[in-house]
Amino acid sequence: MNTKVLLFLLWITAIIQAVAQPEKNGIYCSIEELPEAKEYLPAPPDVHSYQYAEDIIQWTIGKATRKTERGKRASDESDLSSQCLYRIMGEALGLELTPSITPAICNLISRCASTGNASIGYIKNYYIRSRPFMVFNDQIWGKYDGDYLRKNGSYPSGHQISILTAAFALAEIAPEKQDTILRRAFEYGDSRVIVGAHWQSDIDAARLAASATFVQLHNMVRFIDDLKAACFEYQKIKGRKDVHVIGQNTYPEIKKIFGAPIDNDNPRYYADVMSYIAGKEERGTERGKQAVADGDPSLEYHLKMFSDCTNIEINETNTPELYKLMKKTNSMLKAAKKQAKTAYFRKRPYVQFGEVSGTPEYDEADKDESSYPSGHSFMAWGEALVLSQIIPEHTNQILERGYEYGRSRIIVGYHYASDVNIARFFASATVAQLYNDSEFIDQIIKAKKEHINGNRLVPITTEVDESEADTSKNKNVIEGWFNLAGQKLPNEPTERGIYIHDGEKVLVK
């Protein structure tokens, strides 16, 4: 990450916050400022669902793994201490991470992990889902696990969201190590299934919640400060200046993070088949009709569906800066999607079973495209993440719509559930890299400023007398002088530096 990008990130926090964020036990913000997972994620799967079938399959595979070297590692990784996270992320970075050697990086990891874990407290307490070892009356296998887990809800996984929230931040400051960083963070989540402390669906939910939390952290002053400090520390250790600019070859690689799709000999394939059957049963319903409409992959359709759930008309006329941001996001995500779709080939479900899909008019043209990962799901979740940063008051609705757009692809028979899940995870990893593009960050700022300055709702056009035009033009601008911590100054600054004046960045010499 270069200095220009960090300055942009710091600026955006200054123009949207007039006071510093609260700090509670190392958390970057109040829980109310973070997405509410209960609102945008489904409830834990019931025992008749394909998701629960996969939960059982994964528990069985995990239990059979426990006495192997991978099982021993999973037991050791039941440790959620900061020291364990430093060790795992340090191995991924190729560095020794300790508070004395790398204080800034360790601080970033700890606070990201704490914020991520805190963000799912409500949903865990709401569902109080029983853990696998409780359901099957199994022993507690994790070396650092204990009976305290019996009173702590299983859905979503606190271990997974903690390390993955931190991993997204590290991937942003060390893009050349992103694949290794993210793979190790995802493996840490897999370890929780192996030891029987979590179901697979707990891990999947935590992975999406981590991405939702990570994006919102970019609206927090303290996070940006810590990100900047960690980046400078990392660059100093490496002994170089980072001139990284995102491009086709710097997106995450699906092969290195997730590997190949499930094949027909994998026990998990049965859960995928069940997802196809369950999707077919919904085709004749109203939800099935929505799934057909969701086959439209165009940016215009996506903006319309997000407009419907936010009551904000998002288009080139009404929100020009936000439109430019979403257009750029769409373009960048498409480049990453193209790279991922060519990595493997998997037959689409309707092709595999020799049947007609829920959108038969496209079947012939799309039969030779890979089912893995789901391109529609990838685009919608990635766009939802970016949009949620600009319109945080509607984060839950935006993320829920992006999630359901992906589920539509299961209903019409174009994708298995695993294709959709991996697509969402891969979109989350990709969005973390978008923040390394200075043009993307610049457009984030413009879109955020546009929203803050009054485009929360569709504006009502009224006739204004010419004498009033000039005075009313900037009536929504945040007036006054602010420093880069977002604090308003009593007078015009006299010291040299960068400030915010009436919503604009100003260099005082």
Side-chain angles (χ1 to χ4, degrees), residues 296-337:
D296 188 342
S298 68
L299 175 61
E300 287 68 29
Y301 181 82
H302 291 183
L303 296 183
K304 175 64 168 61
M305 75 181 190
F306 289 131
S307 295
D308 290 343
C309 68
T310 60
N311 292 323
I312 298 173
E313 190 177 334
I314 305 169
N315 56 43
E316 190 172 8
T317 302
N318 187 62
T319 56
E321 299 300 343
L322 180 53
Y323 178 82
K324 290 177 184 176
L325 172 64
M326 298 312 295
K327 186 176 180 179
K328 181 170 182 60
T329 299
N330 181 273
S331 175
M332 297 171 80
L333 290 174
K334 278 183 177 178
K337 180 192 73 172

Side-chain angles (χ1 to χ4, degrees), residues 179-475:
D179 296 327
T180 305
I181 292 168
L182 295 172
R183 185 183 71 250
R184 284 296 287 117
F186 282 115
E187 287 176 349
Y188 185 78
D190 295 338
S191 291
R192 302 305 287 158
V193 177
I194 293 173
V195 300
H198 281 289
W199 306 96
Q200 183 63 47
S201 53
D202 302 334
I203 303 301
D204 293 346
R207 289 169 176 171
L208 298 183
S211 65
T213 298
F214 169 72
V215 167
Q216 287 303 316
L217 287 182
H218 286 79
N219 284 334
M220 312 298 168
V221 169
R222 288 196 174 100
F223 170 74
I224 299 303
D225 286 343
D226 286 355
L227 190 72
K228 178 181 177 181
C231 182
F232 288 165
E233 183 175 82
Y234 179 72
Q235 298 301 344
K236 184 177 180 180
I237 292 171
K238 290 297 182 179
R240 56 176 168 77
K241 293 184 178 180
D242 195 352
V243 292
H244 171 76
V245 178
I246 196 167
Q248 186 174 2
N249 296 323
T250 58
Y251 291 113
E253 292 190 38
I254 197 167
K255 282 187 175 183
K256 294 182 179 179
I257 301 175
F258 302 109
I262 295 170
D263 61 39
N264 295 5
D265 296 326
N266 190 313
R268 297 179 66 185
Y269 177 65
Y270 296 104
D272 265 352
V273 173
M274 288 181 66
S275 75
Y276 174 69
I277 295 171
K280 285 177 65 176
E281 293 175 352
E282 288 195 75
R283 290 182 193 173
T285 66
E286 285 301 313
R287 182 63 183 85
K289 294 178 182 178
Q290 180 65 67
V292 172
D294 283 350
D296 188 342
S298 68
L299 175 61
E300 287 68 29
Y301 181 82
H302 291 183
L303 296 183
K304 175 64 168 61
M305 75 181 190
F306 289 131
S307 295
D308 290 343
C309 68
T310 60
N311 292 323
I312 298 173
E313 190 177 334
I314 305 169
N315 56 43
E316 190 172 8
T317 302
N318 187 62
T319 56
E321 299 300 343
L322 180 53
Y323 178 82
K324 290 177 184 176
L325 172 64
M326 298 312 295
K327 186 176 180 179
K328 181 170 182 60
T329 299
N330 181 273
S331 175
M332 297 171 80
L333 290 174
K334 278 183 177 178
K337 180 192 73 172
K338 181 179 179 181
Q339 193 168 292
K341 292 282 277 188
T342 57
Y344 300 100
F345 179 80
R346 187 187 194 189
K347 287 184 179 180
R348 295 185 184 276
Y350 77 88
V351 177
Q352 179 73 39
F353 296 106
E355 298 181 346
V356 175
S357 78
T359 54
E361 63 270 31
Y362 303 112
D363 285 1
E364 183 62 27
D366 293 340
K367 68 178 183 179
D368 294 325
E369 284 194 14
S370 177
S371 180
Y372 177 90
S374 166
H376 282 64
S377 306
F378 174 87
M379 297 297 295
W381 186 252
E383 290 170 352
L385 288 173
V386 172
L387 186 60
S388 70
Q389 184 190 347
I390 307 303
I391 315 177
E393 67 271 24
H394 289 296
T395 288
N396 296 328
Q397 295 91 332
I398 293 168
L399 294 175
E400 180 185 21
R401 188 64 182 93
Y403 181 94
E404 285 298 318
Y405 184 89
R407 195 168 76 86
S408 290
R409 303 306 287 166
I410 300 173
I411 294 173
V412 297
Y414 261 57
H415 291 283
Y416 294 106
S418 61
D419 301 329
V420 172
N421 282 338
I422 291 297
R424 294 184 185 123
F425 304 155
F426 190 61
S428 302
T430 303
V431 168
Q433 284 309 306
L434 300 190
Y435 289 102
N436 271 315
D437 184 272
S438 58
E439 291 182 1
F440 173 80
I441 293 299
D442 192 19
Q443 198 56 47
I444 281 269
I445 294 169
K446 292 176 181 177
K448 192 72 178 179
K449 182 179 175 182
E450 176 182 76
H451 185 63
I452 291 294
N453 283 347
N455 283 326
R456 294 179 182 273
L457 298 174
V458 179
I460 300 174
T461 303
T462 57
E463 293 186 3
V464 181
D465 184 85
E466 281 189 23
S467 61
E468 299 176 335
D470 290 340
T471 57
S472 64
K473 182 173 56 177
N474 296 317
K475 64 181 179 180

